[in-house]
Amino acid sequence: MFFPQFRARRIRASETFRRMVRETTLSVNDLIYPMFSAFGSGIRKEISSMPGIFQQSIEHIVAEAKEVQALGIPAVLLFGIPETKDAVGSDAYSDSGIIQETIRAIKKEVPGLAVVTDVCMCEYTDHGHCGIIKDGDVDNDATLELLAKEALSHVRAGADMVAPSDMMDGRVAAIRETLDDNGFDHIPLMSYAVKYASGYYGPFREAAESTPQFGDRRSYQMDARNRREAVLEAELDIEEGADILMVKPGLAYLDVLREIRENFTQPVAVYNVSGEYSMVKAAAERGWIDERTVTMENLHAFRRAGADIIITYHAKDVARWLKGL
Ligand code: PBG
Ligand code: ZN
């Protein structure tokens, strides 16, 4: 059937028809809001490259967590900025570490809000790498033990789900085994399964103070040029016990997100990373784009590509927009 018998515009002609034929939905239930918890008190410092996002001490984190819950957002993803960093990232797996204290405070004051924790070493090591260093390089197998300790201390403090982001081989299995052996076989694991070495993490590294002090992350994070490798990484993590697969970054990797959606039955998450947020904010501040239109377009694109869950710094704004505020 061709023009003029068929006219594609007929069902686009009114808002009612457009509503009726929409293929993709976005709900507040799909969102996770990342937060940066800093050691100390009275701290609320805006990240210069991420307007609206703050490094905050625990009392401010708790206050914002209440706001997040009131907006109906089901979960937060926590990152920690410890008092001190060292070569082996001790604060990461200390029961009195910054994240452990933050988890306990949120679970006490905002028990209904799900707490997901980023499990990695880079925020806690003085060299800024995601594992411990031996002979100038990340020691994969020695790092696994520390990641498992870190994840265990998070769930002991009350974390509802752990999300390893380090990209070491075998880390999902190591964490799963440690959690299971310690009575936490009910705690789900969301793996940063498909994580690329990306320039889009720049603003995050300011927020988390986690820039590598030498070299870069290309020996553990994936090459942006690869797509088949994404399926392999996801397969390995599913074999090792991941419950949710994540693709990161999002916007430049929608093809990868679709690929993962089609190859696996497990829920798929996407991380709408810091640089993606900063670009929207910067262009909107200059009046070059409309923030709300572009943000909603980006988030629907993640849903259209197959994401069940979207981790995004826009979550609070989106929750308000979805309520019509
Ligand atoms: C830690 C981690 C990073 C991000 C999430 N977890 C940074 C990195 O790997 O360098 C990036 C998040 C963002 O850019 O918003 N490994
Ligand atoms: Zn890391």
Side-chain angles (χ1 to χ4, degrees):
M1 205 174 23
F2 299 104
F3 177 84
Q5 290 82 10
F6 179 73
R7 290 175 182 271
R9 291 182 53 201
R10 285 181 197 124
I11 57 162
R12 278 180 225 147
S14 71
E15 179 58 14
T16 306
F17 287 162
R18 290 193 294 270
R19 272 172 59 201
M20 289 165 66
V21 299
R22 248 163 221 161
E23 299 173 35
T24 307
T25 60
L26 175 66
S27 148
V28 70
N29 298 325
D30 309 330
L31 306 176
I32 298 181
Y33 182 60
M35 299 178 87
F36 299 95
S37 183
F39 179 85
S41 63
I43 298 166
R44 186 168 152 81
K45 186 176 157 219
E46 192 165 30
I47 316 305
S48 63
S49 52
M50 300 177 74
I53 304 296
F54 297 79
Q55 288 183 344
Q56 303 178 101
S57 47
I58 290 178
E59 77 279 21
H60 290 293
I61 289 279
V62 167
E64 195 180 15
K66 286 180 183 162
E67 187 194 342
V68 168
Q69 190 189 36
L71 286 166
I73 297 165
V76 292
L77 174 61
L78 293 185
F79 297 93
I81 301 129
E83 181 180 22
T84 50
K85 305 189 186 220
D86 61 27
V88 291
S90 304
D91 196 89
Y93 38 88
S94 157
D95 283 334
S96 54
I98 178 63
I99 281 298
Q100 291 79 359
E101 300 285 6
T102 308
I103 297 164
R104 280 190 285 266
I106 295 177
K107 292 314 293 186
K108 181 163 172 263
E109 305 276 338
V110 204
L113 183 68
V115 172
V116 186
T117 57
D118 184 85
V119 175
C120 201
M121 301 303 291
C122 56
E123 300 132 63
Y124 309 95
T125 50
D126 49 15
H127 47 72
H129 276 286
C130 300
I132 56 173
I133 302 294
K134 197 172 136 195
D135 303 329
D137 199 3
V138 171
D139 184 341
N140 188 92
D141 298 12
T143 300
L144 297 184
E145 205 178 306
L146 301 184
L147 292 167
K149 268 174 80 171
E150 179 181 6
L152 179 60
S153 79
H154 291 177
V155 302
R156 280 195 171 134
D160 299 290
M161 176 152 72
V162 290
S165 70
D166 51 282
M167 290 299 278
M168 297 301 124
D169 288 324
R171 91 265 207 217
V172 171
I175 293 171
R176 186 72 269 164
E177 193 184 317
T178 298
L179 295 185
D180 292 356
D181 287 350
N182 287 276
F184 294 107
D185 55 9
H186 58 288
I187 296 289
L189 194 155
M190 173 166 69
S191 172
Y192 287 71
V194 181
K195 179 173 177 181
Y196 288 92
S198 171
Y200 284 102
Y201 308 151
F204 172 93
R205 292 181 187 167
E206 180 198 336
E209 301 179 8
S210 64
T211 308
Q213 298 304 302
F214 63 90
D216 54 47
R217 304 209 201 290
R218 285 181 297 173
S219 79
Y220 39 102
Q221 299 178 348
M222 289 169 55
D223 189 322
R225 296 151 189 78
N226 295 352
R227 187 167 74 164
R228 289 192 319 262
E229 191 185 7
V231 179
L232 175 60
E233 279 286 1
E235 253 162 27
L236 293 170
D237 283 8
I238 290 297
E239 278 301 310
E240 292 180 29
D243 300 285
I244 300 175
L245 296 167
M246 192 202 300
V247 174
K248 173 180 173 214
L251 289 175
Y253 299 85
L254 292 175
D255 60 323
V256 177
L257 182 57
R258 166 56 47 185
E259 186 87 22
I260 296 300
R261 166 74 297 145
E262 285 178 359
N263 275 279
F264 300 91
T265 46
Q266 282 79 1
V268 176
V270 67
Y271 201 139
N272 177 207
V273 300
S274 56
E276 298 169 345
Y277 175 84
S278 300
M279 291 196 304
V280 170
K281 284 286 187 183
E285 260 177 24
R286 293 183 172 207
W288 290 353
I289 59 170
D290 180 69
E291 180 175 349
R292 179 171 173 166
T293 305
V294 168
T295 301
M296 292 302 261
E297 190 172 329
N298 287 346
L299 266 62
H300 280 95
F302 296 136
R303 295 279 295 154
R304 194 187 64 231
D308 300 295
I309 296 170
I310 303 169
I311 302 160
T312 181
Y313 303 98
H314 298 287
K316 291 197 305 176
D317 288 333
V318 170
R320 285 188 205 102
W321 296 333
L322 289 171
K323 281 179 199 267
L325 300 176

